[in-house]
Coordinates of all heavy atoms in Angstrom, one line a residue:
M6 N -24.8 91.9 -49.3 CA -23.6 92.6 -49.5 C -23.9 93.9 -50.2 O -24.7 94.0 -51.1 CB -22.6 91.8 -50.3 CG -21.3 92.4 -50.5 SD -20.1 91.3 -51.3 CE -19.1 90.9 -49.9
T7 N -23.3 95.0 -49.7 CA -23.5 96.3 -50.3 C -22.9 96.4 -51.7 O -21.9 95.7 -52.0 CB -23.0 97.4 -49.4 OG1 -21.6 97.3 -49.3 CG2 -23.6 97.3 -48.0
P8 N -23.4 97.4 -52.5 CA -22.8 97.6 -53.8 C -21.3 98.0 -53.7 O -20.5 97.6 -54.5 CB -23.6 98.7 -54.4 CG -24.9 98.6 -53.7 CD -24.6 98.1 -52.3
E9 N -20.9 98.7 -52.6 CA -19.5 99.1 -52.4 C -18.7 97.9 -52.1 O -17.5 97.7 -52.6 CB -19.4 100.1 -51.3 CG -20.0 101.5 -51.5 CD -21.5 101.5 -51.3 OE1 -22.0 100.6 -50.5 OE2 -22.2 102.4 -51.8
G10 N -19.2 97.0 -51.3 CA -18.5 95.7 -51.0 C -18.3 94.9 -52.2 O -17.3 94.3 -52.4
I11 N -19.3 94.8 -53.1 CA -19.2 94.0 -54.3 C -18.2 94.7 -55.2 O -17.3 94.0 -55.8 CB -20.6 94.0 -55.0 CG1 -21.5 93.1 -54.2 CG2 -20.5 93.4 -56.4 CD1 -23.0 93.1 -54.7
A12 N -18.1 96.0 -55.3 CA -17.1 96.7 -56.2 C -15.7 96.4 -55.6 O -14.8 96.2 -56.4 CB -17.4 98.2 -56.2
T13 N -15.6 96.4 -54.3 CA -14.3 96.2 -53.7 C -13.8 94.7 -54.0 O -12.7 94.5 -54.3 CB -14.3 96.4 -52.2 OG1 -14.7 97.7 -51.9 CG2 -13.0 96.2 -51.5
L14 N -14.7 93.8 -53.9 CA -14.5 92.4 -54.2 C -14.1 92.2 -55.6 O -13.1 91.5 -56.0 CB -15.6 91.5 -53.8 CG -15.4 90.0 -53.9 CD1 -14.3 89.6 -53.0 CD2 -16.7 89.3 -53.5
H15 N -14.8 92.9 -56.5 CA -14.5 92.8 -58.0 C -13.1 93.3 -58.2 O -12.3 92.7 -59.0 CB -15.5 93.6 -58.8 CG -16.7 92.8 -59.1 ND1 -17.3 92.8 -60.3 CD2 -17.4 91.9 -58.4 CE1 -18.4 92.1 -60.4 NE2 -18.5 91.5 -59.2
Q16 N -12.7 94.4 -57.6 CA -11.4 95.0 -57.7 C -10.3 94.0 -57.2 O -9.3 93.8 -57.8 CB -11.3 96.3 -57.1 CG -9.9 97.0 -57.3 CD -9.9 98.4 -56.6 OE1 -10.6 98.7 -55.7 NE2 -8.9 99.2 -57.1
Q17 N -10.5 93.5 -56.0 CA -9.6 92.5 -55.4 C -9.4 91.3 -56.3 O -8.2 90.8 -56.4 CB -10.0 92.1 -54.0 CG -9.9 93.2 -53.0 CD -10.5 92.7 -51.7 OE1 -11.2 91.7 -51.6 NE2 -10.3 93.5 -50.6
M18 N -10.4 90.8 -56.9 CA -10.3 89.6 -57.7 C -9.9 89.9 -59.2 O -9.7 89.0 -60.0 CB -11.7 88.9 -57.7 CG -12.1 88.4 -56.4 SD -13.7 87.6 -56.4 CE -13.4 86.2 -57.4
G19 N -9.8 91.2 -59.5 CA -9.4 91.6 -60.8 C -10.5 91.6 -61.9 O -10.2 91.6 -63.1
L20 N -11.7 91.5 -61.4 CA -12.8 91.4 -62.4 C -13.2 92.7 -63.0 O -14.0 92.7 -63.9 CB -14.1 90.8 -61.6 CG -13.9 89.4 -61.1 CD1 -15.2 89.0 -60.3 CD2 -13.7 88.4 -62.2
D21 N -12.5 93.8 -62.6 CA -12.7 95.1 -63.3 C -11.8 95.2 -64.5 O -11.9 96.2 -65.2 CB -12.5 96.2 -62.3 CG -11.1 96.2 -61.6 OD1 -10.5 95.1 -61.7 OD2 -10.7 97.2 -61.1
Q22 N -10.9 94.2 -64.7 CA -10.0 94.3 -65.9 C -10.7 93.5 -67.0 O -11.5 92.7 -66.9 CB -8.7 93.5 -65.5 CG -8.0 94.1 -64.3 CD -7.5 95.5 -64.6 OE1 -7.1 95.9 -65.7 NE2 -7.6 96.4 -63.5
P23 N -10.3 93.8 -68.3 CA -10.8 93.1 -69.4 C -10.4 91.6 -69.3 O -9.4 91.2 -68.7 CB -10.1 93.7 -70.6 CG -9.6 95.0 -70.1 CD -9.4 94.9 -68.7
W24 N -11.2 90.7 -69.9 CA -11.0 89.3 -69.8 C -9.7 88.8 -70.3 O -9.0 87.9 -69.8 CB -12.2 88.5 -70.4 CG -12.2 88.5 -71.9 CD1 -12.8 89.4 -72.7 CD2 -11.5 87.7 -72.8 NE1 -12.6 89.2 -74.0 CE2 -11.8 88.1 -74.1 CE3 -10.7 86.6 -72.7 CZ2 -11.3 87.5 -75.3 CZ3 -10.1 85.9 -73.8 CH2 -10.5 86.4 -75.1
I25 N -9.2 89.5 -71.4 CA -8.0 89.0 -72.0 C -6.8 89.4 -71.1 O -5.8 88.6 -71.0 CB -7.8 89.6 -73.4 CG1 -6.6 89.0 -74.2 CG2 -7.6 91.1 -73.4 CD1 -7.0 87.6 -74.7
E26 N -6.9 90.5 -70.4 CA -5.8 90.9 -69.5 C -5.8 90.0 -68.3 O -4.8 89.6 -67.8 CB -6.0 92.4 -69.1 CG -4.9 92.9 -68.2 CD -5.1 94.4 -67.9 OE1 -5.7 95.1 -68.7 OE2 -4.7 94.8 -66.8
R27 N -7.0 89.6 -67.8 CA -7.1 88.7 -66.7 C -6.6 87.3 -67.1 O -5.9 86.7 -66.3 CB -8.6 88.5 -66.3 CG -9.2 89.7 -65.6 CD -10.5 89.4 -64.9 NE -11.4 88.6 -65.7 CZ -12.5 89.0 -66.3 NH1 -12.8 90.3 -66.2 NH2 -13.3 88.2 -66.9
Y28 N -6.8 86.9 -68.3 CA -6.3 85.6 -68.8 C -4.8 85.6 -68.8 O -4.2 84.6 -68.3 CB -6.9 85.2 -70.1 CG -6.3 84.0 -70.7 CD1 -6.7 82.7 -70.2 CD2 -5.3 84.0 -71.7 CE1 -6.1 81.6 -70.7 CE2 -4.8 82.9 -72.2 CZ -5.2 81.7 -71.7 OH -4.6 80.5 -72.2
F29 N -4.2 86.6 -69.4 CA -2.7 86.6 -69.5 C -2.1 86.8 -68.1 O -1.0 86.2 -67.9 CB -2.3 87.7 -70.5 CG -2.4 87.2 -71.9 CD1 -3.3 87.8 -72.7 CD2 -1.7 86.2 -72.4 CE1 -3.5 87.4 -74.0 CE2 -1.8 85.7 -73.7 CZ -2.8 86.3 -74.5
T30 N -2.7 87.5 -67.2 CA -2.2 87.6 -65.9 C -2.3 86.3 -65.2 O -1.3 85.8 -64.5 CB -3.0 88.7 -65.1 OG1 -2.9 89.9 -65.7 CG2 -2.5 88.8 -63.6
W31 N -3.4 85.6 -65.3 CA -3.6 84.3 -64.7 C -2.5 83.3 -65.3 O -1.9 82.5 -64.6 CB -5.0 83.7 -65.0 CG -5.1 82.3 -64.6 CD1 -5.3 81.7 -63.4 CD2 -5.1 81.2 -65.6 NE1 -5.4 80.4 -63.5 CE2 -5.3 80.0 -64.8 CE3 -4.9 81.1 -66.9 CZ2 -5.3 78.8 -65.4 CZ3 -4.9 79.9 -67.5 CH2 -5.1 78.7 -66.8
F32 N -2.4 83.3 -66.6 CA -1.5 82.4 -67.3 C 0.0 82.6 -66.9 O 0.7 81.7 -66.6 CB -1.6 82.4 -68.8 CG -0.9 81.3 -69.5 CD1 -1.4 80.0 -69.5 CD2 0.3 81.6 -70.2 CE1 -0.7 79.0 -70.1 CE2 0.9 80.6 -70.9 CZ 0.4 79.3 -70.8
S33 N 0.4 83.9 -66.8 CA 1.8 84.2 -66.4 C 2.0 83.7 -65.0 O 3.1 83.3 -64.7 CB 2.1 85.6 -66.6 OG 1.4 86.4 -65.7
K34 N 1.1 83.9 -64.1 CA 1.2 83.4 -62.7 C 1.3 81.9 -62.7 O 2.0 81.3 -61.9 CB 0.1 84.0 -61.8 CG 0.2 85.4 -61.5 CD -1.0 85.9 -60.6 CE -0.8 87.3 -60.3 NZ -1.9 87.8 -59.4
L35 N 0.5 81.3 -63.5 CA 0.4 79.8 -63.6 C 1.8 79.3 -64.0 O 2.3 78.3 -63.4 CB -0.7 79.3 -64.5 CG -0.8 77.8 -64.7 CD1 -1.3 77.2 -63.4 CD2 -1.7 77.5 -65.9
V36 N 2.4 79.9 -65.0 CA 3.7 79.5 -65.5 C 4.8 79.6 -64.4 O 5.7 78.8 -64.3 CB 4.1 80.3 -66.8 CG1 5.5 80.1 -67.1 CG2 3.2 79.9 -67.9
H37 N 4.6 80.6 -63.6 CA 5.6 80.8 -62.5 C 5.2 80.0 -61.2 O 5.8 80.2 -60.2 CB 5.7 82.3 -62.2 CG 6.4 83.0 -63.3 ND1 5.7 83.7 -64.2 CD2 7.7 83.1 -63.6 CE1 6.5 84.3 -65.0 NE2 7.8 83.9 -64.7
G38 N 4.2 79.2 -61.3 CA 3.8 78.3 -60.1 C 2.8 78.9 -59.1 O 2.6 78.3 -58.1
D39 N 2.3 80.1 -59.4 CA 1.3 80.7 -58.6 C -0.1 80.3 -59.0 O -0.6 80.8 -60.0 CB 1.5 82.2 -58.6 CG 0.5 83.0 -57.7 OD1 -0.1 82.3 -56.8 OD2 0.5 84.2 -57.7
L40 N -0.7 79.4 -58.3 CA -2.1 79.0 -58.6 C -3.2 79.8 -58.0 O -4.3 79.6 -58.1 CB -2.2 77.5 -58.2 CG -1.3 76.5 -58.9 CD1 -1.5 75.1 -58.4 CD2 -1.4 76.6 -60.4
G41 N -2.8 80.8 -57.2 CA -3.7 81.7 -56.6 C -4.0 81.4 -55.2 O -3.3 80.6 -54.5
T42 N -5.0 82.0 -54.7 CA -5.4 81.9 -53.3 C -6.9 81.4 -53.2 O -7.7 81.8 -54.0 CB -5.4 83.3 -52.5 OG1 -4.1 83.8 -52.7 CG2 -5.6 83.1 -51.1
S43 N -7.1 80.4 -52.3 CA -8.5 79.9 -52.1 C -9.4 81.0 -51.6 O -9.1 81.7 -50.7 CB -8.4 78.7 -51.1 OG -9.7 78.3 -50.8
L44 N -10.6 81.0 -52.2 CA -11.6 82.0 -51.7 C -12.2 81.6 -50.4 O -12.6 82.4 -49.6 CB -12.7 82.1 -52.8 CG -12.3 82.7 -54.1 CD1 -13.5 82.7 -55.0 CD2 -11.9 84.2 -53.9
F45 N -12.2 80.3 -50.1 CA -12.8 79.8 -48.9 C -11.9 79.8 -47.7 O -12.3 80.2 -46.6 CB -13.4 78.4 -49.1 CG -14.4 78.3 -50.2 CD1 -14.1 77.8 -51.4 CD2 -15.7 78.8 -50.0 CE1 -15.1 77.8 -52.4 CE2 -16.6 78.8 -51.0 CZ -16.3 78.3 -52.2
T46 N -10.6 79.3 -47.9 CA -9.7 79.2 -46.8 C -8.7 80.3 -46.7 O -8.1 80.6 -45.7 CB -9.0 77.9 -46.8 OG1 -8.2 77.8 -48.0 CG2 -9.9 76.7 -46.8
G47 N -8.4 81.0 -47.8 CA -7.4 82.0 -47.9 C -6.0 81.6 -48.0 O -5.1 82.3 -48.1
E48 N -5.8 80.2 -48.1 CA -4.4 79.7 -48.2 C -4.1 79.6 -49.7 O -4.9 79.6 -50.6 CB -4.3 78.4 -47.5 CG -5.0 77.2 -48.2 CD -4.8 75.9 -47.5 OE1 -3.6 75.6 -47.1 OE2 -5.8 75.2 -47.3
Q49 N -2.8 79.5 -50.0 CA -2.3 79.3 -51.3 C -2.8 78.0 -51.9 O -2.7 76.9 -51.2 CB -0.8 79.4 -51.4 CG -0.2 80.8 -51.1 CD -0.6 81.8 -52.2 OE1 -0.6 81.5 -53.4 NE2 -1.0 83.0 -51.8
V50 N -3.3 77.9 -53.1 CA -3.8 76.7 -53.7 C -2.7 75.7 -53.9 O -2.8 74.5 -53.7 CB -4.5 77.0 -55.0 CG1 -4.9 75.8 -55.8 CG2 -5.7 77.9 -54.8
A51 N -1.5 76.2 -54.3 CA -0.4 75.2 -54.5 C 0.0 74.5 -53.3 O 0.3 73.3 -53.3 CB 0.8 76.0 -55.1
S52 N 0.0 75.2 -52.1 CA 0.4 74.5 -50.9 C -0.7 73.6 -50.4 O -0.4 72.5 -49.9 CB 0.7 75.5 -49.8 OG -0.5 76.3 -49.5
A53 N -2.0 73.9 -50.7 CA -3.1 73.0 -50.4 C -3.0 71.8 -51.2 O -3.3 70.7 -50.7 CB -4.4 73.7 -50.6
L54 N -2.7 71.9 -52.5 CA -2.5 70.7 -53.4 C -1.4 69.9 -52.9 O -1.4 68.6 -52.9 CB -2.4 71.1 -54.8 CG -3.6 71.7 -55.5 CD1 -3.2 72.2 -56.9 CD2 -4.7 70.7 -55.6
N55 N -0.2 70.5 -52.6 CA 0.9 69.7 -52.1 C 0.7 68.9 -50.9 O 1.2 67.8 -50.8 CB 2.1 70.7 -51.9 CG 2.7 71.1 -53.2 OD1 2.6 70.5 -54.2 ND2 3.4 72.3 -53.2
T56 N -0.1 69.4 -50.0 CA -0.4 68.7 -48.7 C -1.3 67.5 -49.0 O -1.2 66.5 -48.3 CB -1.0 69.6 -47.7 OG1 -2.2 70.1 -48.2 CG2 -0.1 70.7 -47.2
R57 N -2.1 67.5 -50.0 CA -3.0 66.5 -50.3 C -2.5 65.5 -51.4 O -3.1 64.5 -51.6 CB -4.4 67.0 -50.7 CG -5.1 67.8 -49.6 CD -6.2 68.7 -50.1 NE -6.9 69.3 -49.1 CZ -6.5 70.5 -48.5 NH1 -5.4 71.1 -48.9 NH2 -7.2 71.1 -47.6
L58 N -1.4 65.8 -52.1 CA -0.9 65.1 -53.2 C -0.5 63.7 -52.8 O -0.7 62.7 -53.5 CB 0.2 65.8 -53.9 CG 0.6 65.2 -55.2 CD1 -0.5 65.2 -56.2 CD2 1.8 66.0 -55.8
G59 N 0.2 63.5 -51.7 CA 0.7 62.3 -51.2 C -0.4 61.2 -51.0 O -0.3 60.1 -51.4
V60 N -1.5 61.7 -50.3 CA -2.6 60.8 -50.0 C -3.3 60.4 -51.3 O -3.6 59.2 -51.5 CB -3.6 61.5 -49.1 CG1 -4.8 60.6 -48.9 CG2 -2.9 61.8 -47.7
T61 N -3.5 61.3 -52.2 CA -4.1 61.1 -53.5 C -3.3 60.1 -54.3 O -3.8 59.1 -54.9 CB -4.3 62.4 -54.3 OG1 -5.1 63.3 -53.5 CG2 -5.0 62.1 -55.6
A62 N -2.0 60.3 -54.4 CA -1.1 59.4 -55.1 C -1.1 58.0 -54.6 O -1.2 57.0 -55.3 CB 0.3 59.9 -55.2
S63 N -1.1 57.8 -53.3 CA -1.1 56.5 -52.7 C -2.5 55.8 -53.0 O -2.5 54.6 -53.2 CB -0.9 56.6 -51.2 OG -1.9 57.2 -50.5
R64 N -3.6 56.5 -52.9 CA -4.9 55.9 -53.3 C -4.9 55.5 -54.7 O -5.5 54.5 -55.1 CB -6.0 56.9 -53.0 CG -6.2 57.1 -51.5 CD -7.4 58.0 -51.2 NE -7.6 58.1 -49.8 CZ -8.6 58.8 -49.3 NH1 -9.5 59.4 -50.0 NH2 -8.7 58.8 -48.0
V65 N -4.4 56.3 -55.6 CA -4.3 56.0 -57.0 C -3.5 54.7 -57.3 O -4.0 53.8 -58.0 CB -3.8 57.1 -57.9 CG1 -3.4 56.7 -59.3 CG2 -4.8 58.3 -57.9
V66 N -2.4 54.6 -56.6 CA -1.5 53.4 -56.8 C -2.2 52.2 -56.3 O -2.3 51.1 -56.9 CB -0.2 53.6 -56.1 CG1 0.6 52.3 -56.0 CG2 0.6 54.6 -56.8
C67 N -2.9 52.3 -55.1 CA -3.6 51.1 -54.5 C -4.7 50.7 -55.4 O -4.9 49.5 -55.7 CB -4.1 51.5 -53.1 SG -2.8 51.5 -51.9
C68 N -5.5 51.7 -55.9 CA -6.6 51.3 -56.8 C -6.2 50.7 -58.1 O -6.8 49.7 -58.6 CB -7.5 52.6 -57.1 SG -8.4 53.1 -55.7
V69 N -5.1 51.2 -58.7 CA -4.6 50.6 -59.9 C -4.1 49.1 -59.7 O -4.4 48.2 -60.5 CB -3.5 51.4 -60.5 CG1 -2.7 50.7 -61.6 CG2 -4.0 52.7 -61.1
L70 N -3.4 48.9 -58.6 CA -3.0 47.6 -58.3 C -4.1 46.6 -58.0 O -4.1 45.5 -58.6 CB -2.0 47.6 -57.1 CG -0.7 48.2 -57.3 CD1 0.1 48.3 -56.0 CD2 0.1 47.4 -58.3
V71 N -5.1 47.0 -57.2 CA -6.2 46.2 -56.9 C -7.0 45.9 -58.2 O -7.4 44.7 -58.4 CB -7.1 46.8 -55.8 CG1 -8.5 46.1 -55.7 CG2 -6.4 46.8 -54.5
S72 N -7.3 46.9 -59.0 CA -8.1 46.7 -60.2 C -7.3 45.8 -61.2 O -7.9 45.0 -61.9 CB -8.5 48.0 -60.8 OG -7.4 48.7 -61.3
G73 N -6.0 46.0 -61.3 CA -5.2 45.1 -62.2 C -5.2 43.7 -61.8 O -5.4 42.8 -62.6
L74 N -5.0 43.5 -60.5 CA -5.1 42.1 -59.9 C -6.4 41.5 -60.1 O -6.6 40.3 -60.5 CB -4.6 42.1 -58.5 CG -3.1 42.4 -58.2 CD1 -2.9 42.5 -56.7 CD2 -2.3 41.3 -58.8
A75 N -7.5 42.2 -59.8 CA -8.8 41.7 -59.9 C -9.2 41.4 -61.4 O -9.8 40.3 -61.7 CB -9.8 42.7 -59.3
G76 N -8.8 42.3 -62.3 CA -9.1 42.1 -63.7 C -8.4 40.9 -64.2 O -8.9 40.1 -65.0
T77 N -7.1 40.7 -63.8 CA -6.3 39.6 -64.3 C -6.9 38.3 -63.7 O -7.1 37.3 -64.5 CB -4.9 39.7 -63.8 OG1 -4.4 40.9 -64.4 CG2 -4.0 38.5 -64.3
A78 N -7.3 38.3 -62.5 CA -7.9 37.1 -61.9 C -9.2 36.7 -62.5 O -9.5 35.5 -62.8 CB -8.1 37.3 -60.4
L79 N -10.0 37.7 -62.7 CA -11.3 37.4 -63.4 C -11.1 37.0 -64.8 O -11.8 36.1 -65.3 CB -12.2 38.7 -63.3 CG -12.8 39.0 -62.0 CD1 -13.5 40.4 -62.0 CD2 -13.7 37.9 -61.5
G80 N -10.2 37.6 -65.5 CA -9.9 37.2 -66.9 C -9.4 35.8 -67.0 O -9.7 35.0 -68.0
L81 N -8.5 35.4 -66.1 CA -7.9 34.1 -66.2 C -8.9 33.0 -65.7 O -8.8 31.8 -66.0 CB -6.6 34.0 -65.3 CG -5.5 34.8 -65.9 CD1 -4.3 34.7 -64.9 CD2 -5.1 34.3 -67.3
S82 N -9.9 33.4 -64.9 CA -10.8 32.4 -64.4 C -12.1 32.3 -65.2 O -13.0 31.6 -64.7 CB -11.2 32.7 -62.9 OG -11.9 33.9 -62.9
R83 N -12.1 32.8 -66.4 CA -13.3 32.8 -67.2 C -13.6 31.3 -67.6 O -12.7 30.5 -67.7 CB -13.2 33.7 -68.4 CG -12.2 33.2 -69.4 CD -12.2 34.1 -70.6 NE -11.0 33.7 -71.5 CZ -11.1 32.8 -72.4 NH1 -12.2 32.1 -72.6 NH2 -10.0 32.5 -73.2
P84 N -14.9 31.0 -67.8 CA -15.3 29.7 -68.2 C -14.7 29.3 -69.5 O -14.6 30.1 -70.4 CB -16.8 29.7 -68.2 CG -17.2 30.9 -67.5 CD -16.1 31.8 -67.5
G85 N -14.1 28.1 -69.6 CA -13.6 27.7 -70.9 C -12.1 28.0 -71.1 O -11.5 27.7 -72.1
F86 N -11.5 28.6 -70.1 CA -10.0 29.0 -70.2 C -9.2 27.7 -69.9 O -9.3 27.1 -68.9 CB -9.7 30.1 -69.2 CG -8.2 30.5 -69.3 CD1 -7.7 31.1 -70.5 CD2 -7.4 30.2 -68.3 CE1 -6.4 31.5 -70.6 CE2 -6.0 30.6 -68.4 CZ -5.6 31.2 -69.5
D87 N -8.5 27.3 -70.9 CA -7.7 26.0 -70.8 C -6.2 26.3 -70.4 O -5.4 25.4 -70.5 CB -7.8 25.2 -72.0 CG -7.4 25.9 -73.3 OD1 -6.9 27.1 -73.1 OD2 -7.5 25.3 -74.3
G88 N -5.9 27.5 -70.1 CA -4.5 27.8 -69.7 C -3.7 28.3 -70.8 O -2.5 28.7 -70.6
E89 N -4.1 28.3 -72.0 CA -3.3 28.8 -73.2 C -4.0 30.1 -73.7 O -5.2 30.2 -73.8 CB -3.3 27.8 -74.3 CG -2.5 26.6 -73.9 CD -2.3 25.6 -75.0 OE1 -2.4 26.1 -76.2 OE2 -2.1 24.4 -74.8
I90 N -3.1 31.0 -74.1 CA -3.6 32.3 -74.6 C -3.8 32.1 -76.1 O -3.0 31.5 -76.8 CB -2.5 33.4 -74.4 CG1 -2.1 33.5 -73.0 CG2 -3.0 34.7 -75.0 CD1 -3.1 34.2 -72.1
E91 N -5.0 32.5 -76.6 CA -5.3 32.3 -78.0 C -4.8 33.5 -78.8 O -5.0 34.7 -78.3 CB -6.8 32.2 -78.2 CG -7.4 31.0 -77.6 CD -8.9 30.9 -77.7 OE1 -9.5 31.7 -78.5 OE2 -9.5 30.1 -77.0
H92 N -4.2 33.3 -79.9 CA -3.7 34.4 -80.8 C -4.7 34.6 -81.9 O -5.3 33.6 -82.4 CB -2.4 34.1 -81.3 CG -1.3 34.0 -80.2 ND1 -0.8 35.1 -79.6 CD2 -0.7 32.9 -79.7 CE1 0.1 34.8 -78.7 NE2 0.2 33.4 -78.7
P93 N -5.0 35.8 -82.3 CA -6.0 36.1 -83.4 C -5.7 35.3 -84.7 O -6.6 34.8 -85.4 CB -5.9 37.6 -83.6 CG -5.2 38.1 -82.4 CD -4.4 37.0 -81.9
E94 N -4.4 35.1 -85.0 CA -4.2 34.4 -86.3 C -4.4 32.9 -86.2 O -4.5 32.2 -87.2 CB -2.7 34.7 -86.8 CG -1.6 34.2 -85.9 CD -1.2 35.2 -84.8 OE1 -1.7 36.4 -84.8 OE2 -0.3 34.9 -84.0
D95 N -4.5 32.4 -85.0 CA -4.8 30.9 -84.8 C -6.3 30.6 -84.8 O -6.7 29.5 -84.9 CB -4.2 30.4 -83.5 CG -2.7 30.5 -83.5 OD1 -2.1 30.6 -84.6 OD2 -2.1 30.5 -82.4
A96 N -7.1 31.6 -84.7 CA -8.5 31.4 -84.6 C -9.2 31.0 -85.9 O -8.7 31.1 -87.0 CB -9.2 32.6 -84.1

């Protein structure tokens, strides 16, 4: 990439501004729901996240349910479990 191309890219990305100004610009856009644009695809980051959020949430719910059931089953089937829960003050 040529030096002119790099300078143009820096200007487009706002890297020619002081860091504090870039931070407050980013934060004000974030507060208003603008997460920016993907450098790779060019699409809005918020819309990309929204399209993937449903699949991610369903996977999280399934994993939590499976791990909860497996952990409960393994905990209840431990050797020496006689069916009663022991309380710390009874020990």
Side-chain angles (χ1 to χ4, degrees):
M6 183 172 256
T7 65
E9 294 83 18
I11 292 173
T13 303
L14 187 61
H15 275 221
Q16 185 181 17
Q17 288 173 349
M18 296 176 68
L20 297 176
D21 57 341
Q22 303 295 325
W24 70 270
I25 193 77
E26 187 176 330
R27 288 193 318 254
Y28 174 75
F29 282 112
T30 301
W31 168 81
F32 190 73
S33 68
K34 287 181 178 182
L35 178 69
V36 168
H37 291 98
D39 182 9
L40 299 178
T42 305
S43 170
L44 294 175
F45 299 106
T46 63
E48 69 177 317
Q49 290 294 318
V50 173
S52 64
L54 288 174
N55 285 337
T56 59
R57 294 164 178 86
L58 188 62
V60 175
T61 302
S63 65
R64 287 184 180 182
V65 167
V66 168
C67 287
C68 289
V69 167
L70 289 175
V71 167
S72 63
L74 291 173
T77 301
L79 289 172
L81 293 176
S82 67
R83 67 178 171 85
F86 181 67
D87 57 2
E89 292 186 22
I90 306 285
E91 296 177 13
H92 296 284
E94 62 269 0
D95 294 340

